[in-house]
Amino acid sequence: MMSLNPKRSMVWRRVIPDLAVSHPYLMHLLLALGGIHMITEQTGQRRGERDAVDLLVVMDHHQRGLRGFREEVARISNANAEAVYAGSLLLVAFVYASLQVPELNPFATTLNQQPPGPICKPHLSWLHLVRGVPTVIRDQWPALKASRMRPMVLHFHGADYWDDLPFVSSLSNLDHCSPRFLSFAQGTCQAIADLRASCDAIQPPDSNGLRLTPGSSPASSDWAGYAPSGAIDVLETVYSRVVAVLKCSVSERGSPDDSDIQANLEEATVQSWPSLVSDDFIALLDMGEPVDLGWGLSLVILAHFYVVNTLMDCWFLAGFKEEVLKIQTAVSNLHNAQLSQLMMWPVKVATT
């Protein structure tokens, strides 16, 4: 299932396939997404030669669709905005799902298998793609709001609705849903406080307001201290929204189950955090050697963002638990006790 919202589910089941009939590149992207879904369902099973061939076919559809998508983006207008937006959704779902496929995410790990090498950096190409999607269609919102894709761009009361709501619901009533939600709710404040304390410990006193400028290095200690601080601010906002969703669900249902919470998480668009973090933070994550404490802390913060995705019960987001475990391995190889301690909470939530 791609969405719990009936109208959005209808878009996935009828509108996008209907658009694909008249747009070959969308058909390729749709077939690629369906194919990778089948592959992810085979996770844990022995994959033979036939499965490897299937992946090649899936990637061929993906590449053909991507080429057509790029051609349409180059001439985007009100006339093709609907199809381009559908293509962007298919691409995002595909890149999320690809994290579960070892051939597409070479350092994918499992509970019983750790990635090789002293320090394995995370696979971040998906992050760049997801961050780029809003820029593709940002000038086409009026057309999209009047199109068949309307349910995909409108959410209940908008994201701001979930900020600073005066809910007084007790989160102890989450006993009828996955224990992951209660574990998250009980640990968010301490997790943010611990991250801030660690950030303050490595941030130079005169680094306030520093930003990456042409000619400056993301590996510099001053800039490395600033980028994590801004990311923690974003993380706190996203976590607060998730907690508001949990409280709202309790207020609505008394003792909500997973489906109630999942529906509200979707409305709150909590998985949109990649578009909120700064370019500076992404640049720090992308930096080459040498890895340092600032990079390690940014990696820990990234794992805390990944926790949000593990709360979403969507098949294409299922790879984020293992991504958290991969980051845990990378951080442990930095041999820093403080960073390893910070990883305990995201690992606990992701694996609960």
Side-chain angles (χ1 to χ4, degrees):
M1 181 180 295
M2 301 297 294
S3 173
L4 290 174
N5 180 282
K7 290 185 177 180
R8 290 188 208 111
S9 181
M10 185 67 69
V11 170
W12 281 107
R13 290 187 291 110
R14 294 190 179 180
V15 175
I16 292 179
D18 183 56
L19 287 169
V21 171
S22 54
H23 296 82
Y25 77 95
L26 286 184
M27 184 62 74
H28 283 300
L29 293 177
L30 189 59
L31 290 171
L33 182 60
I36 202 169
H37 186 198
M38 295 174 64
I39 290 173
T40 60
E41 288 186 327
Q42 297 169 350
T43 301
Q45 301 177 6
R46 184 177 181 84
R47 298 182 61 191
E49 183 178 349
R50 180 179 178 182
D51 295 323
V53 173
D54 288 344
L55 180 58
L56 292 177
V57 173
V58 167
M59 292 309 299
D60 181 62
H61 281 299
H62 177 68
Q63 292 300 324
R64 291 187 183 191
L66 185 58
R67 284 195 297 270
F69 175 79
R70 287 171 174 165
E71 292 172 1
E72 289 297 307
V73 168
R75 52 175 178 265
I76 191 169
S77 66
N78 287 351
N80 69 349
E82 187 179 48
V84 169
Y85 186 50
S88 69
L89 294 177
L90 291 167
L91 284 170
V92 167
F94 183 92
V95 76
Y96 276 139
S98 69
L99 295 176
Q100 303 172 58
V101 182
E103 293 88 341
L104 304 180
N105 186 14
F107 295 113
T109 181
T110 67
L111 289 170
N112 299 317
Q113 178 183 358
Q114 299 299 336
I119 297 179
C120 297
K121 295 187 177 181
H123 180 71
L124 296 179
S125 60
W126 72 269
L127 191 54
H128 293 286
L129 187 147
V130 172
R131 283 166 56 82
V133 165
T135 65
V136 171
I137 42 83
R138 62 186 171 190
D139 295 330
Q140 307 301 323
W141 287 118
L144 290 174
K145 287 190 290 185
S147 74
R148 289 176 293 174
M149 299 297 290
R150 174 183 171 87
M152 308 303 289
V153 298
L154 297 180
H155 289 77
F156 180 62
H157 292 302
D160 292 341
Y161 171 81
W162 301 94
D163 299 333
D164 300 322
L165 285 177
F167 289 124
V168 294
S169 308
S170 172
L171 292 177
S172 62
N173 290 343
L174 295 174
D175 54 348
H176 286 82
C177 60
S178 169
R180 183 177 302 169
F181 292 118
L182 185 57
S183 180
F184 176 88
Q186 292 174 335
T188 52
C189 291
Q190 189 61 52
I192 294 295
D194 291 344
L195 288 173
R196 288 199 185 282
S198 296
C199 186
D200 291 342
I202 70 169
Q203 181 170 321
D206 59 348
S207 64
N208 290 333
L210 285 178
R211 302 195 69 83
L212 187 62
T213 57
S216 64
S217 169
S220 67
S221 60
D222 285 351
W223 180 77
Y226 173 82
S229 178
I232 294 171
D233 290 339
V234 174
L235 181 69
E236 184 174 26
T237 298
V238 175
Y239 275 15
S240 296
R241 187 173 300 171
V242 174
V243 172
V245 164
L246 296 176
K247 290 182 176 180
C248 177
S249 300
V250 171
S251 177
E252 290 174 340
R253 298 290 185 177
S255 295
D257 58 22
D258 280 14
S259 63
D260 298 321
I261 295 174
Q262 291 294 332
N264 281 332
L265 285 173
E266 183 178 334
E267 294 299 335
T269 62
V270 296
Q271 76 278 15
S272 65
W273 60 263
S275 63
L276 302 178
V277 295
S278 70
D279 293 338
D280 293 352
F281 180 67
I282 302 301
L284 182 55
L285 288 168
D286 274 338
M287 77 180 221
E289 301 293 344
V291 294
D292 60 9
L293 195 57
W295 178 81
L297 178 59
S298 293
L299 205 57
V300 171
I301 296 170
L302 182 65
H304 281 70
F305 276 114
Y306 282 1
V307 165
V308 175
N309 288 13
T310 68
L311 299 176
M312 303 289 293
D313 187 18
C314 300
W315 69 268
F316 52 88
L317 295 177
F320 281 95
K321 180 179 77 172
E322 293 189 358
E323 290 299 300
V324 171
L325 295 175
K326 182 172 69 174
I327 290 178
Q328 181 190 35
T329 299
V331 169
S332 67
N333 287 332
L334 293 175
H335 305 294
N336 182 283
Q338 185 179 26
L339 294 181
S340 294
Q341 179 72 21
L342 289 173
M343 280 301 303
M344 292 180 65
W345 183 78
V347 169
K348 175 185 176 182
V349 176
T351 57
T352 296

